[in-house]
Amino acid sequence: MKCFLRKKIGDRVANGHPWIFGNELGDVDGTAQPGDIVEVYTYNGSFVGKGYINPASQIRIRLLTRQKDDVIDEAFFLRRIREAWEYRQSIGYVENCRLIFGEADQLPALIIDKFNDHFVIQTLALGMDRWKGAIVAALRQIFNTTRIYERNDVPVRTLEGLPQQKGFLCEPFDTNIILKENGLKFHVDIENGQKTGYFLDQQDNRRAIQHIVKDADVLEAFCYTGTFSMHAAHYGAKSVLGLDISENAVSTARRNAELNGFTDRCSFEAVNAFDVLKQWVKDGKRYDVVMLDPPAFTKSRENIQKAITGYKEINLRGMKLVKPGGFLVTASCTNLVPPEMFLEIIGMAAKDARRELRQVTWQTQASDHPILWNVPSTQYLKFLIVQVL
């Protein structure tokens, strides 16, 4: 089937964005089933690309290639995944990495995380889900592995008319694994952990705290399984307290402390960080370093104001808990809060806290989550370290 773009749409698609929305499409020539590969042309017949279609989705077509000669078949997926692996190797991400980062690797709606010789995949759109067999075959061929697990238990699949599911895509294996990062070891629960089981996007940022935590009393809110806390102890913190609302996450964090020999310096509590931080400000508690890495506060534009309020409030409390001259480490993974807005929020929090900030580090996600300048959503993580004066 051939699909033609409307005459008056903007240059977004022409400039490289792989998404085509329903209201950007005009005439069609032929028929296609949901998930089929279709060809896309400009209104006057110039070839744009090939991608998969889903009339039930707001994103009607996601482009896989802009080369007319490309045939979308098993060999195509093998080539794309091999290229992505070669890229990761070339920038030094070998043991653990995001092997496929959707649009940034020209495989929209596909996520593959590599934990040594274990692989976790998410096929988040109908057209990509159709090629799951080809994706598994490619992983088996490139990596000679049978440890492949799907974590398709995500609500976004519902928008594509897909069921939420998880399970083995080859032979069963023990889904509780231990991975190594920056000289530390971490328990990872592939089956039940958040997202794909572990947040690889912060692996470079965790190294960035090395110098500020030495001999410090450190507080980490929203600690999940304690990865930043372990790094703080590893880099010489005097004491580390991690908070998370999930009993399960806190239990894993304690096991990680044991695994790395930090039980004497690291402790964890299962509490609501929002409430506790508010009370501790009133109690006059102070720390040398406060680290905040909350989950995404919103997935929809309608709730963006709520997210802004949430980030401002939590960072305000965090700053008030930092001793003068200490450090605040803060992050946001909310896609809908762009970098400039995040910095603005931190600035507002500092004004309300009557504290002056000195920027130390301003980073994004690890480089195995590549950013395409013409696809803004590929840059989602904001990571900031400031000295709080």
Side-chain angles (χ1 to χ4, degrees):
M1 184 167 108
K2 293 181 178 180
C3 300
F4 295 86
L5 298 173
R6 289 184 191 275
K7 187 175 182 177
K8 291 185 178 176
I9 69 159
D11 295 330
R12 187 179 54 80
V13 177
N15 289 344
H17 204 294
W19 295 357
I20 300 168
F21 294 93
N23 61 5
E24 294 176 313
L25 287 170
D27 297 337
V28 295
D29 180 5
T31 59
Q33 294 300 309
D36 282 357
I37 302 297
V38 298
E39 295 184 349
V40 179
Y41 294 83
T42 60
Y43 71 96
N44 59 2
S46 300
F47 180 76
V48 174
K50 295 179 183 179
Y52 54 81
I53 191 168
N54 186 359
S57 174
Q58 196 181 354
I59 305 168
R60 192 64 51 85
I61 299 169
R62 289 175 165 95
L63 295 176
L64 289 163
T65 180
R66 293 185 180 253
Q67 305 301 315
K68 195 165 188 181
D69 295 340
D70 274 350
V71 178
I72 311 299
D73 56 10
E74 289 208 359
F76 173 86
F77 282 88
L78 176 63
R79 186 173 80 247
R80 277 276 197 268
I81 294 171
R82 185 171 273 137
E83 284 168 356
W85 175 227
E86 285 167 1
Y87 169 70
R88 268 69 182 178
Q89 289 173 296
S90 72
I91 59 168
Y93 293 82
V94 181
E95 189 170 1
N96 309 305
C97 66
R98 175 145 293 182
L99 176 64
I100 299 292
F101 183 42
E103 287 72 9
D105 288 298
Q106 296 179 286
L107 289 170
L110 176 63
I111 299 294
I112 305 179
D113 278 351
K114 175 186 185 295
F115 303 126
N116 201 331
D117 57 350
H118 297 77
F119 296 81
V120 182
I121 81 168
Q122 294 180 314
T123 46
L124 304 174
L126 174 65
M128 190 54 75
D129 199 64
R130 284 266 197 96
W131 292 97
K132 200 155 57 178
I135 294 160
V136 170
L139 291 175
R140 294 190 70 159
Q141 187 170 332
I142 298 166
F143 297 98
N144 191 28
T145 184
T146 56
R147 295 172 179 179
I148 306 170
Y149 196 86
E150 74 169 314
R151 281 298 301 270
N152 278 326
D153 51 337
V154 280
V156 71
R157 278 173 57 96
T158 311
L159 302 174
E160 291 277 322
L162 292 166
Q164 292 189 45
Q165 60 195 42
K166 59 181 179 177
F168 299 101
L169 295 175
C170 293
E171 292 89 50
F173 57 89
D174 186 352
T175 52
N176 288 291
I177 64 170
I178 292 174
L179 64 75
K180 293 175 186 169
E181 178 186 287
N182 301 329
L184 294 161
K185 293 177 185 174
F186 296 99
H187 288 284
V188 176
D189 183 350
I190 286 173
E191 183 180 1
N192 299 308
Q194 285 187 35
K195 302 284 179 78
T196 60
Y198 189 82
F199 294 109
L200 291 168
D201 53 5
Q202 291 274 31
Q203 62 177 315
D204 294 356
N205 298 333
R206 287 189 269 264
R207 284 198 300 274
I209 68 170
Q210 179 171 355
H211 301 292
I212 63 166
V213 296
K214 191 160 174 40
D215 298 322
D217 290 313
V218 178
L219 172 68
E220 184 189 4
F222 314 99
C223 69
Y224 187 43
T225 57
T227 47
F228 271 102
S229 291
M230 290 311 117
H231 280 77
H234 179 58
Y235 293 135
K238 200 183 342 175
S239 73
V240 186
L241 173 59
L243 312 176
D244 199 278
I245 200 163
S246 162
E247 291 273 6
N248 197 34
V250 164
S251 168
T252 304
R254 288 178 183 136
R255 287 169 62 221
N256 282 333
E258 203 174 315
L259 190 62
N260 291 285
F262 295 141
T263 48
D264 57 331
R265 280 182 286 156
C266 288
S267 58
F268 298 92
E269 293 178 22
V271 292
N272 184 323
F274 266 100
D275 299 341
V276 166
L277 265 55
K278 190 176 184 178
Q279 185 57 48
W280 288 357
V281 168
K282 285 179 185 169
D283 295 345
K285 287 198 180 193
R286 293 291 181 271
Y287 294 86
D288 298 305
V289 178
V290 172
M291 304 191 289
L292 307 171
D293 187 15
F297 283 152
T298 181
K299 295 273 198 290
S300 69
R301 291 191 190 279
E302 296 78 60
N303 295 326
I304 193 76
Q305 195 52 51
K306 192 175 118 193
I308 291 169
T309 305
Y311 280 122
K312 185 188 166 191
E313 193 55 43
I314 199 67
N315 281 283
L316 173 70
R317 292 171 194 176
M319 285 174 204
K320 286 182 172 181
L321 287 166
V322 177
K323 293 174 186 172
F327 296 90
L328 175 73
V329 179
T330 182
S332 161
C333 61
T334 303
N335 213 330
L336 297 167
V337 174
E340 318 76 57
M341 186 189 287
F342 183 64
L343 291 176
E344 209 176 302
I345 293 166
I346 302 301
M348 290 190 299
K351 190 179 175 185
D352 285 5
R354 295 192 174 88
R355 304 293 290 272
E356 195 178 334
L357 304 181
R358 184 152 56 186
Q359 182 178 309
V360 179
T361 301
W362 173 233
Q363 296 179 176
T364 184
Q365 67 252 25
S367 307
D368 59 338
H369 295 61
I371 294 165
L372 297 186
W373 288 358
N374 50 14
V375 187
S377 60
T378 56
Q379 181 175 5
Y380 66 95
L381 187 67
K382 285 75 58 183
F383 178 82
L384 177 69
I385 301 177
V386 287
Q387 187 179 31
V388 184
L389 303 171

